[in-house]
Short mmCIF file of all heavy atoms in Angstrom, two decimals:
data_model
loop_
_atom_site.label_atom_id
_atom_site.label_comp_id
_atom_site.label_asym_id
_atom_site.label_seq_id
_atom_site.Cartn_x
_atom_site.Cartn_y
_atom_site.Cartn_z
N GLU I 104 7.58 14.78 -26.55
CA GLU I 104 8.14 13.54 -26.06
C GLU I 104 7.47 13.20 -24.85
O GLU I 104 7.50 13.84 -23.80
CB GLU I 104 9.69 13.62 -25.91
CG GLU I 104 10.41 12.41 -25.78
CD GLU I 104 11.91 12.56 -25.73
OE1 GLU I 104 12.47 12.85 -26.84
OE2 GLU I 104 12.50 12.47 -24.73
N VAL I 105 6.86 12.02 -24.84
CA VAL I 105 6.17 11.40 -23.69
C VAL I 105 7.08 10.36 -23.08
O VAL I 105 7.59 9.51 -23.79
CB VAL I 105 4.74 10.80 -24.05
CG1 VAL I 105 4.17 10.17 -22.76
CG2 VAL I 105 3.82 11.84 -24.61
N ASP I 106 7.31 10.50 -21.77
CA ASP I 106 8.44 9.70 -21.17
C ASP I 106 7.67 8.94 -19.94
O ASP I 106 7.07 9.51 -19.12
CB ASP I 106 9.46 10.70 -20.63
CG ASP I 106 10.61 9.92 -20.04
OD1 ASP I 106 10.96 8.82 -20.51
OD2 ASP I 106 11.27 10.54 -19.14
N ALA I 107 7.90 7.58 -19.94
CA ALA I 107 7.33 6.83 -18.84
C ALA I 107 8.62 6.11 -18.26
O ALA I 107 9.21 5.35 -18.95
CB ALA I 107 6.34 5.83 -19.31
N ARG I 108 8.84 6.25 -16.99
CA ARG I 108 9.91 5.60 -16.18
C ARG I 108 9.40 4.77 -15.08
O ARG I 108 8.57 5.18 -14.40
CB ARG I 108 11.00 6.68 -15.77
CG ARG I 108 11.65 7.25 -16.83
CD ARG I 108 12.32 8.58 -16.26
NE ARG I 108 11.23 9.29 -15.64
CZ ARG I 108 11.29 10.56 -15.35
NH1 ARG I 108 12.32 11.26 -15.48
NH2 ARG I 108 10.27 11.24 -14.87
N GLN I 109 10.06 3.66 -14.89
CA GLN I 109 9.59 2.78 -13.73
C GLN I 109 10.85 2.77 -12.75
O GLN I 109 11.95 3.04 -13.14
CB GLN I 109 9.30 1.36 -14.26
CG GLN I 109 8.04 1.23 -14.91
CD GLN I 109 7.73 -0.21 -15.27
OE1 GLN I 109 8.54 -1.08 -15.18
NE2 GLN I 109 6.44 -0.48 -15.68
N GLN I 110 10.48 2.38 -11.59
CA GLN I 110 11.51 2.30 -10.54
C GLN I 110 12.54 1.21 -10.89
O GLN I 110 13.69 1.42 -10.56
CB GLN I 110 10.85 1.86 -9.13
CG GLN I 110 10.19 2.88 -8.42
CD GLN I 110 9.53 2.35 -7.24
OE1 GLN I 110 9.06 1.25 -7.13
NE2 GLN I 110 9.45 3.19 -6.21
N ARG I 111 12.20 0.20 -11.61
CA ARG I 111 13.16 -0.82 -11.94
C ARG I 111 14.12 -0.46 -12.99
O ARG I 111 14.99 -1.26 -13.37
CB ARG I 111 12.36 -2.10 -12.33
CG ARG I 111 11.51 -2.69 -11.23
CD ARG I 111 10.73 -3.77 -11.67
NE ARG I 111 9.78 -3.41 -12.74
CZ ARG I 111 8.92 -4.31 -13.25
NH1 ARG I 111 8.85 -5.50 -12.85
NH2 ARG I 111 8.04 -3.83 -14.13
N GLY I 112 13.98 0.72 -13.56
CA GLY I 112 14.97 1.21 -14.57
C GLY I 112 14.44 1.23 -15.95
O GLY I 112 15.07 1.55 -16.86
N PHE I 113 13.19 0.62 -16.22
CA PHE I 113 12.58 0.56 -17.58
C PHE I 113 12.28 2.00 -17.89
O PHE I 113 11.74 2.76 -17.12
CB PHE I 113 11.41 -0.40 -17.56
CG PHE I 113 11.70 -1.81 -17.38
CD1 PHE I 113 11.04 -2.49 -16.37
CD2 PHE I 113 12.56 -2.43 -18.22
CE1 PHE I 113 11.30 -3.81 -16.16
CE2 PHE I 113 12.82 -3.74 -18.02
CZ PHE I 113 12.28 -4.46 -16.91
N ARG I 114 12.45 2.29 -19.18
CA ARG I 114 12.10 3.55 -19.67
C ARG I 114 11.50 3.42 -21.03
O ARG I 114 11.91 2.69 -21.97
CB ARG I 114 13.33 4.41 -19.83
CG ARG I 114 13.10 5.83 -20.24
CD ARG I 114 14.22 6.72 -20.08
NE ARG I 114 13.78 8.07 -20.26
CZ ARG I 114 14.49 9.13 -20.15
NH1 ARG I 114 15.73 8.98 -19.76
NH2 ARG I 114 14.07 10.31 -20.35
N HIS I 115 10.32 4.16 -21.24
CA HIS I 115 9.62 4.11 -22.49
C HIS I 115 9.48 5.53 -23.02
O HIS I 115 8.90 6.33 -22.21
CB HIS I 115 8.29 3.38 -22.29
CG HIS I 115 7.36 3.43 -23.52
ND1 HIS I 115 7.65 2.70 -24.59
CD2 HIS I 115 6.27 4.25 -23.92
CE1 HIS I 115 6.76 2.91 -25.54
NE2 HIS I 115 5.89 3.83 -25.14
N VAL I 116 9.89 5.91 -24.15
CA VAL I 116 9.80 7.17 -24.68
C VAL I 116 9.22 7.08 -26.05
O VAL I 116 9.50 6.21 -26.86
CB VAL I 116 11.24 7.82 -24.79
CG1 VAL I 116 11.07 9.17 -25.51
CG2 VAL I 116 11.92 7.85 -23.49
N GLU I 117 8.17 8.00 -26.30
CA GLU I 117 7.57 8.08 -27.61
C GLU I 117 7.27 9.50 -27.92
O GLU I 117 7.10 10.34 -27.05
CB GLU I 117 6.33 7.15 -27.87
CG GLU I 117 5.19 7.41 -26.93
CD GLU I 117 4.16 6.43 -27.01
OE1 GLU I 117 4.23 5.31 -26.67
OE2 GLU I 117 3.05 6.93 -27.62
N ARG I 118 7.21 9.80 -29.24
CA ARG I 118 6.98 11.16 -29.65
C ARG I 118 5.39 11.28 -30.14
O ARG I 118 5.07 10.43 -30.92
CB ARG I 118 7.89 11.50 -30.80
CG ARG I 118 9.36 11.46 -30.25
CD ARG I 118 10.31 11.83 -31.25
NE ARG I 118 10.38 13.33 -31.57
CZ ARG I 118 10.98 14.16 -30.82
NH1 ARG I 118 11.56 13.66 -29.69
NH2 ARG I 118 11.02 15.42 -31.07
N VAL I 119 4.77 12.27 -29.77
CA VAL I 119 3.36 12.51 -30.14
C VAL I 119 3.21 13.94 -30.66
O VAL I 119 3.88 14.82 -30.06
CB VAL I 119 2.44 12.25 -28.91
CG1 VAL I 119 0.94 12.57 -29.26
CG2 VAL I 119 2.58 10.94 -28.30
N ARG I 120 2.50 14.09 -31.73
CA ARG I 120 2.31 15.45 -32.33
C ARG I 120 1.26 16.18 -31.51
O ARG I 120 0.10 15.86 -31.44
CB ARG I 120 1.87 15.21 -33.78
CG ARG I 120 1.63 16.57 -34.55
CD ARG I 120 2.80 17.23 -34.90
NE ARG I 120 3.67 16.50 -35.82
CZ ARG I 120 4.73 17.07 -36.42
NH1 ARG I 120 4.92 18.36 -36.31
NH2 ARG I 120 5.58 16.30 -37.16
N GLY I 121 1.68 17.39 -30.93
CA GLY I 121 0.82 18.25 -30.16
C GLY I 121 0.74 17.94 -28.72
O GLY I 121 0.82 16.82 -28.21
N TRP I 122 0.41 19.11 -28.00
CA TRP I 122 0.31 18.96 -26.46
C TRP I 122 -0.89 18.24 -25.96
O TRP I 122 -0.77 17.48 -25.08
CB TRP I 122 0.35 20.53 -25.94
CG TRP I 122 0.87 20.55 -24.57
CD1 TRP I 122 0.09 20.80 -23.50
CD2 TRP I 122 2.19 20.55 -24.21
NE1 TRP I 122 0.87 20.89 -22.39
CE2 TRP I 122 2.20 20.73 -22.73
CE3 TRP I 122 3.41 20.44 -24.75
CZ2 TRP I 122 3.31 20.86 -22.02
CZ3 TRP I 122 4.61 20.41 -24.07
CH2 TRP I 122 4.59 20.64 -22.69
N GLY I 123 -2.04 18.45 -26.62
CA GLY I 123 -3.24 17.78 -26.19
C GLY I 123 -3.16 16.20 -26.44
O GLY I 123 -3.57 15.38 -25.59
N ALA I 124 -2.66 15.90 -27.62
CA ALA I 124 -2.39 14.49 -28.00
C ALA I 124 -1.37 13.79 -26.98
O ALA I 124 -1.63 12.68 -26.64
CB ALA I 124 -1.98 14.29 -29.46
N ALA I 125 -0.41 14.61 -26.59
CA ALA I 125 0.55 13.98 -25.55
C ALA I 125 -0.12 13.79 -24.27
O ALA I 125 0.13 12.73 -23.60
CB ALA I 125 1.72 14.96 -25.43
N LYS I 126 -1.07 14.75 -23.83
CA LYS I 126 -1.75 14.49 -22.57
C LYS I 126 -2.65 13.36 -22.62
O LYS I 126 -2.74 12.46 -21.71
CB LYS I 126 -2.55 15.80 -22.25
CG LYS I 126 -3.14 15.79 -20.83
CD LYS I 126 -3.78 17.16 -20.58
CE LYS I 126 -4.20 17.15 -19.21
NZ LYS I 126 -4.73 18.51 -18.75
N ALA I 127 -3.33 13.12 -23.84
CA ALA I 127 -4.18 11.94 -23.96
C ALA I 127 -3.32 10.59 -23.93
O ALA I 127 -3.76 9.66 -23.24
CB ALA I 127 -4.93 12.05 -25.25
N ARG I 128 -2.27 10.74 -24.59
CA ARG I 128 -1.36 9.53 -24.60
C ARG I 128 -0.77 9.18 -23.19
O ARG I 128 -0.66 8.06 -22.85
CB ARG I 128 -0.19 9.63 -25.57
CG ARG I 128 0.69 8.49 -25.74
CD ARG I 128 -0.01 7.23 -26.21
NE ARG I 128 0.80 6.19 -26.33
CZ ARG I 128 0.49 4.89 -25.94
NH1 ARG I 128 -0.71 4.65 -25.67
NH2 ARG I 128 1.35 3.94 -25.98
N MET I 129 -0.54 10.22 -22.29
CA MET I 129 -0.12 10.10 -21.03
C MET I 129 -1.16 9.30 -20.27
O MET I 129 -0.90 8.42 -19.45
CB MET I 129 0.26 11.32 -20.36
CG MET I 129 1.52 11.95 -20.78
SD MET I 129 1.85 13.67 -20.11
CE MET I 129 1.62 13.35 -18.41
N ARG I 130 -2.41 9.65 -20.51
CA ARG I 130 -3.56 9.00 -19.74
C ARG I 130 -3.58 7.51 -20.14
O ARG I 130 -3.87 6.69 -19.36
CB ARG I 130 -4.87 9.79 -20.10
CG ARG I 130 -5.04 11.05 -19.24
CD ARG I 130 -6.51 11.42 -19.32
NE ARG I 130 -6.44 12.91 -19.15
CZ ARG I 130 -6.75 13.84 -20.07
NH1 ARG I 130 -7.16 13.35 -21.25
NH2 ARG I 130 -6.75 15.05 -19.84
N GLU I 131 -3.42 7.27 -21.43
CA GLU I 131 -3.51 5.91 -21.98
C GLU I 131 -2.36 5.07 -21.35
O GLU I 131 -2.56 3.89 -20.94
CB GLU I 131 -3.33 5.88 -23.45
CG GLU I 131 -4.51 6.29 -24.26
CD GLU I 131 -4.22 6.27 -25.76
OE1 GLU I 131 -3.25 5.75 -26.12
OE2 GLU I 131 -5.07 6.72 -26.55
N ILE I 132 -1.17 5.65 -21.27
CA ILE I 132 -0.04 4.93 -20.67
C ILE I 132 -0.26 4.68 -19.22
O ILE I 132 0.03 3.70 -18.68
CB ILE I 132 1.28 5.66 -20.93
CG1 ILE I 132 1.69 5.67 -22.44
CG2 ILE I 132 2.43 5.16 -20.12
CD1 ILE I 132 2.85 6.55 -22.78
#
Side-chain angles (χ1 to χ4, degrees):
E104 195 172 286
V105 177
D106 185 29
R108 291 167 302 203
Q109 289 185 346
Q110 283 177 329
R111 297 179 292 188
F113 294 121
R114 186 169 188 175
H115 175 71
V116 178
E117 62 182 67
R118 300 179 79 78
V119 181
R120 178 75 59 171
W122 204 255
K126 189 172 186 177
R128 183 62 183 139
M129 283 174 55
R130 282 193 207 112
E131 288 179 7
I132 291 174

